[in-house]
Amino acid sequence: MAHEMRTPIESGCPDGFQYMHPVMRKNYGQWAYHEDPQPGVLVHVSHSGDKIWTVRAGTQRILDVFTLRKLCDIGDQYGEGYVHFTIRSNIEYQVADEAKVEPLIKALTDAGFVVGGTRNSVAMLSHTQGWLHCDIPGTDASGVVKSMMDELIDEFKGWNMPNRVHMTTSCCQINCGGQGDIAINVQHTKPPKINHDLVANVCERPSVVARCPVAAIRPALVNGKPSLEVDEKKCICCGACYPPCPPMQINDAEHSKLSIWVGGNHSNARGKPTFQKLVASGIPNNPPRWPEATAVVKKILKTYKEDARDWERMNDWIERIGWPRFFEKTGLPFTKFHIDNWRGARASLNASTHIRF
Ligand code: SF4
Ligand code: SF4
């Protein structure tokens, strides 16, 4: 008997139009220009003359329900009941009445939120899930964000930078990753330690072997049990074998470090994409405040702020002054770890992101 086809179950993001401010819905695709009247505030003007003001406040990526309720109450009382979240997890309120902007900012500030993150500020660091949601993190990305943004609060609130600065963190070395003007990423420095008693029961060995980008993993019999072995000379300590095989533990309190990369930028109407490059490695992964990583980030930001021309992004600035000058001006040491000596790089040297002199 022929069966009727089942209707697909819709999943994924709901249609955003139903949640948009009516002025945004009405003027969809009709915006003429926007301006920045003050830090944290945008005004969009449409061809019809309609205007809408947006107020942005810094919020963390993983919000608890109490904070979310508080933010929504502020939106109902001082805004017009419409909000959305930016890709860097900041809340934005939309109002069509200019008179509501200042009381809304005051209500947010009084409740302890920070308004800013627009134009040439340091926008909120974006981060990956970390310990709360993922099974392989080597650090707590949310904690790094909190510690750094505490120190950069004035750069978030003001328009002090040459252009906008987007920073990212990631909590392992390979997956969601971080790419931005400044990226703070995990860096493993030792090959994984294998618990041979567990491998046979937990890991699908062919998948683990296939996962290694440099073919450093081989099947092996250890104490009569099927297991795996790692050629440590080949291993680049990427950690890719750890997600499919948790007994190949790579996270380590001492040897999982942080590294800092700069100059990453997506392509836009004016430029090609640029890849970030390593500028500091082996930084201690030091919770709960990560002072060493924060110090390096502040040093880079300070130099960029003093030296870049107006509206130069981090990558434009480094491109203009050159990498040797970048290291001289920031005072960061240029070490052997900045040189990609992986033998597979031969095939990609001319097309890669290598630092060359
Ligand atoms: S960066 Fe890595 S550890 Fe962090 S959430 Fe993504 S996959 Fe998990
Ligand atoms: S850490 Fe990376 S390079 Fe080393 S064995 Fe695992 S997958 Fe291979």
Side-chain angles (χ1 to χ4, degrees):
M1 196 176 109
H3 288 288
E4 288 274 312
M5 291 278 281
R6 177 175 67 75
T7 323
I9 299 165
E10 291 302 336
S11 55
C13 292
D15 178 8
F17 276 83
Q18 60 187 312
Y19 305 119
M20 276 187 196
H21 192 289
V23 173
M24 288 173 76
R25 262 200 307 256
K26 180 180 158 214
N27 293 287
Y28 182 75
Q30 300 300 320
W31 299 104
Y33 63 93
H34 79 268
E35 285 173 345
D36 301 83
Q38 58 175 296
V41 181
L42 305 165
V43 55
H44 284 80
V45 183
S46 90
H47 289 294
S48 68
D50 285 351
K51 289 184 179 182
I52 192 159
W53 282 261
T54 303
V55 176
R56 180 182 303 174
T59 42
Q60 67 267 36
R61 172 170 176 166
I62 298 161
L63 274 175
D64 61 284
V65 74
F66 304 104
T67 310
L68 204 47
R69 286 211 170 111
K70 193 191 284 181
L71 288 162
C72 291
D73 288 345
I74 292 173
D76 284 337
Q77 197 179 341
Y78 297 94
E80 292 171 359
Y82 291 90
V83 297
H84 67 217
F85 284 88
T86 68
I87 52 169
R88 308 187 86 75
S89 317
N90 287 174
I91 194 166
E92 286 188 343
Y93 297 85
Q94 286 82 33
V95 289
D97 177 1
E98 189 178 4
K100 291 185 177 157
V101 170
E102 286 308 326
L104 180 55
I105 293 175
K106 184 170 181 319
L108 284 164
T109 314
D110 290 348
F113 297 101
V114 188
V115 173
T118 57
R119 214 171 70 151
N120 51 327
S121 63
V122 173
M124 177 64 78
L125 261 110
S126 67
H127 73 82
T128 47
Q129 281 73 236
W131 288 328
L132 204 56
H133 278 274
C134 190
D135 54 352
I136 57 165
T139 192
D140 176 28
S142 329
V144 176
V145 171
K146 165 74 179 143
S147 325
M148 289 197 180
M149 288 313 287
D150 277 355
E151 303 247 348
L152 298 172
I153 187 166
D154 291 334
E155 308 299 352
F156 179 83
K157 286 198 290 193
W159 285 339
N160 304 325
M161 305 308 286
N163 200 336
R164 67 175 63 95
V165 180
H166 283 170
M167 296 203 283
T168 61
T169 65
S170 85
C171 36
C172 73
Q173 197 170 284
I174 47 159
N175 286 348
C176 319
Q179 153 89 348
D181 293 303
I182 303 178
I184 302 106
N185 294 338
V186 161
Q187 177 188 35
H188 298 299
T189 59
K190 281 271 172 84
K193 276 189 216 137
I194 307 179
N195 182 340
H196 295 289
D197 292 336
L198 294 180
V199 170
N201 293 340
V202 178
C203 313
E204 206 174 89
R205 293 188 305 153
S207 321
V208 185
V209 170
R211 187 83 183 237
C212 179
V214 293
I217 307 176
R218 284 189 294 260
L221 268 186
V222 180
N223 301 329
K225 284 189 187 166
S227 186
L228 296 163
E229 66 182 10
V230 170
D231 179 344
E232 297 196 352
K233 284 209 186 96
K234 274 190 184 172
C235 174
I236 53 170
C237 311
C238 66
C241 48
Y242 175 50
C245 187
M248 296 183 74
Q249 177 63 263
I250 193 154
N251 289 329
D252 181 284
E254 191 188 337
H255 299 294
S256 292
K257 309 274 192 187
L258 295 185
S259 59
I260 294 187
W261 303 66
V262 303
N265 200 1
H266 294 295
S267 59
N268 57 31
R270 287 171 293 282
K272 292 180 188 168
T274 58
F275 292 103
Q276 58 189 12
K277 299 176 180 73
L278 179 82
V279 294
S281 69
I283 301 168
N285 179 15
N286 193 2
R289 301 298 298 180
W290 289 269
E292 299 86 353
T294 307
V296 175
V297 167
K298 283 173 84 177
K299 201 186 275 189
I300 297 170
L301 282 174
K302 182 169 176 285
T303 317
Y304 167 63
K305 190 167 156 181
E306 285 167 4
D307 199 60
R309 294 180 185 152
D310 286 352
W311 305 113
E312 259 179 344
R313 283 289 285 263
M314 182 82 65
N315 57 314
D316 302 326
W317 165 60
I318 300 171
E319 185 82 357
R320 176 170 62 78
I321 63 171
W323 285 98
R325 296 282 290 149
F326 170 86
F327 282 96
E328 270 169 42
K329 283 176 183 274
T330 53
L332 293 172
F334 184 84
T335 70
K336 63 178 181 178
F337 299 109
H338 294 101
I339 297 169
D340 187 349
N341 62 354
W342 179 54
R343 59 195 181 142
R346 272 181 229 146
S348 59
L349 264 174
N350 288 329
S352 77
T353 54
H354 286 243
I355 295 165
R356 277 172 248 163
F357 294 98

